[in-house]
Amino acid sequence: MSPETISAFKKQFPDVVENEPMSKHTNLRIGGPARLFIIANEPSVILDAAAVARKLDIPWIVFGGGSNMLVSDSGYDGLAIQIAFRDVKLRQQTATVEAGAIMSAVARQTAEAGLGGLEWAVGVPGTVGGAIYGNAGCYGGEVKDSLVSVDCYDIKTGKPEVYPNAKCAFGYRDSRFKREPHVIFRATFKLTPTDPKPLKKRIEEILQMRKAKQPLEFGSAGCMFKNFVFKDESELERLKQDVKEIPADMLAKKAISAGWLIQQAGMLGEKIGGAQVSEKHGNFIINLGDATAQDVLMLTSKVKMKVRDDYNIMLEDEVQLIGF
Ligand SMILES: Cc1cc2nc3c(=O)[nH]c(=O)nc-3n(C[C@H](O)[C@H](O)[C@H](O)COP(=O)(O)OP(=O)(O)OC[C@H]3O[C@@H](n4cnc5c(N)ncnc54)[C@H](O)[C@@H]3O)c2cc1C
């Protein structure tokens, strides 16, 4: 980006920050500088900034909690917009939530209000926008189960849209938003009025399970790889040749846990530089303190190659790569 372009952007957005370290905004605590950085406290800030960026030919991205991103060591040579509008409105059977609200906090708030359906999301560190983008899920629930509609902005057409659930093309850690660029502004979830006590109990159970199974004391991006979903019986038969003794729960779900495969491949504790495959959970790559994005990328490649060589399975990334 040329100095002229930057000063033209600054004229319209005097509060823009230059060279903001993305390591301050990602859960992995990794990432070089965003050349330009703004925090959007309301949707109009994004629309205004995007219009100026488009005019000046500046690439731009939005993000939320940075809990599912690996940003390159050289950073992002464009405008990074962090979404920070977080209003939550609860009604009798619905929650209308702005994209910057923290998913885990929404899970607690709705449970305390006696609205069931989002308990699974407690402990998901990102925002509602990020959760919709990747159809986040765990512990038997996912975004698509209770989402009614999404208010967003279609970047290609420049038009606001409201998509009902059926038009979001949700799949396993997937949605249309991964393939067609949009900014998610807010969403409505349908919830079930319930006694708050069992909801709060479930929340505590999930938090305990997370603490026991996940290396929460280190920076990470959560699960690095998608679980391997097998399509049919013939694929399963092929897999059984390579992967011995697949646990019954995985056979029932027709998905082999990537963490389990990585463990079977003997990769727990594997290190490159400051990045390590967690000894607690094979699908978490943790930052031991001084990891670079390069360390993480090299380690993910090593893990993928070992799993491919041992089991003939190509693991797919769950984490979003920015600035590579
Ligand atoms: C300890 C830990 C545990 C985790 N547990 C789980 C889990 O159980 N289940 C699970 O599914 N995930 C889990 N994750 C991953 C992550 O928290 C989720 O994917 C989360 O939903 C990402 O939200 P975010 O706001 O941090 O997204 P970000 O990392 O900020 O962004 C991820 C992607 O979403 C896009 N995006 C974000 N907001 C918007 C928006 N408003 N409009 C359009 N695009 C947007 C970004 O451009 C980027 O491509 C975990 C992560 C960690 C660190």
Side-chain angles (χ1 to χ4, degrees):
M1 223 187 298
S2 71
E4 294 75 30
T5 306
I6 289 169
S7 62
F9 188 87
K10 280 181 95 170
K11 255 192 204 148
Q12 312 252 4
F13 281 89
D15 292 341
V16 71
V17 176
E18 283 190 61
N19 298 317
E20 174 72 0
M22 287 299 284
S23 54
K24 277 167 62 179
H25 303 284
T26 59
N27 213 75
L28 262 166
R29 296 173 211 137
I30 290 175
R35 190 66 190 87
L36 298 173
F37 174 83
I38 53 178
I39 294 179
N41 289 312
E42 50 182 309
S44 64
V45 174
I46 300 178
L47 297 179
D48 294 347
V52 177
R54 194 175 298 125
K55 218 171 7 178
L56 297 171
D57 212 12
I58 297 174
W60 59 282
I61 52 163
V62 293
F63 73 103
S67 66
N68 200 27
M69 297 188 342
L70 175 63
V71 180
S72 104
D73 297 315
S74 53
Y76 177 66
D77 191 23
L79 166 68
I81 306 174
Q82 185 166 37
I83 294 187
F85 32 96
R86 308 211 157 99
D87 189 48
V88 177
K89 280 201 172 59
L90 303 184
R91 294 192 189 84
Q92 258 180 347
Q93 299 197 0
T94 57
T96 298
V97 186
E98 288 190 322
I102 302 299
M103 203 60 214
S104 187
V106 176
R108 275 183 187 281
Q109 198 179 334
T110 49
E112 271 159 24
L115 291 170
L118 291 177
E119 305 79 75
W120 59 268
V122 72
V124 175
T127 60
V128 167
I132 294 169
Y133 178 89
N135 185 26
C138 48
Y139 299 105
E142 52 186 352
V143 163
K144 80 168 174 44
D145 297 342
S146 49
L147 185 128
V148 177
S149 62
V150 177
D151 287 38
C152 56
Y153 165 76
D154 183 331
I155 295 174
K156 259 197 192 150
T157 64
K159 283 190 188 151
E161 298 283 355
V162 180
Y163 297 133
N165 184 315
K167 288 211 164 162
C168 295
F170 286 125
Y172 167 53
R173 298 294 94 79
D174 194 27
S175 75
R176 77 181 290 170
F177 307 107
K178 282 197 168 175
R179 274 164 271 112
E180 301 168 29
H182 287 78
V183 181
I184 297 162
F185 286 148
R186 80 183 64 73
T188 298
F189 295 89
K190 182 160 179 15
L191 303 170
T192 311
T194 319
D195 177 3
K197 254 197 197 153
L199 300 180
K200 288 201 262 182
K201 187 166 170 263
R202 179 69 184 144
I203 278 186
E204 290 315 314
E205 280 167 11
I206 291 174
L207 285 175
Q208 287 309 318
M209 284 190 273
R210 281 190 181 274
K211 222 168 147 186
K213 289 187 182 159
Q214 299 179 353
L216 301 178
E217 60 281 28
F218 293 98
S220 79
C223 288
M224 290 300 284
F225 307 105
K226 291 185 178 180
N227 294 329
F228 181 77
V229 180
F230 48 90
K231 290 181 212 94
D232 51 31
E233 287 305 309
S234 64
E235 189 164 38
L236 176 61
E237 284 314 309
R238 180 194 64 74
L239 280 173
K240 281 182 176 166
Q241 312 288 316
D242 298 313
V243 190
K244 304 288 174 231
E245 293 169 27
I246 302 173
D249 61 323
M250 296 185 202
L251 288 175
K253 284 187 199 152
K254 293 191 188 303
I256 305 186
S257 144
W260 181 79
L261 278 172
I262 293 164
Q263 183 172 357
Q264 297 301 302
M267 297 296 279
L268 293 193
E270 191 74 22
K271 260 190 234 171
I272 292 188
Q276 184 180 37
V277 177
S278 163
E279 287 173 340
K280 208 168 175 184
H281 191 313
N283 206 359
F284 275 60
I285 288 188
I286 55 175
N287 179 356
L288 294 171
D290 58 355
T292 61
Q294 196 58 27
D295 294 339
V296 174
L297 264 197
M298 286 196 299
L299 188 55
T300 54
S301 309
K302 195 169 179 185
V303 167
K304 278 184 188 171
M305 283 194 287
K306 182 78 166 55
V307 169
R308 183 201 59 195
D309 293 348
D310 287 6
Y311 303 123
N312 214 0
I313 287 177
M314 200 60 214
L315 291 176
E316 244 183 84
D317 292 328
E318 188 173 316
V319 71
Q320 305 302 306
L321 301 180
I322 310 283
F324 288 93

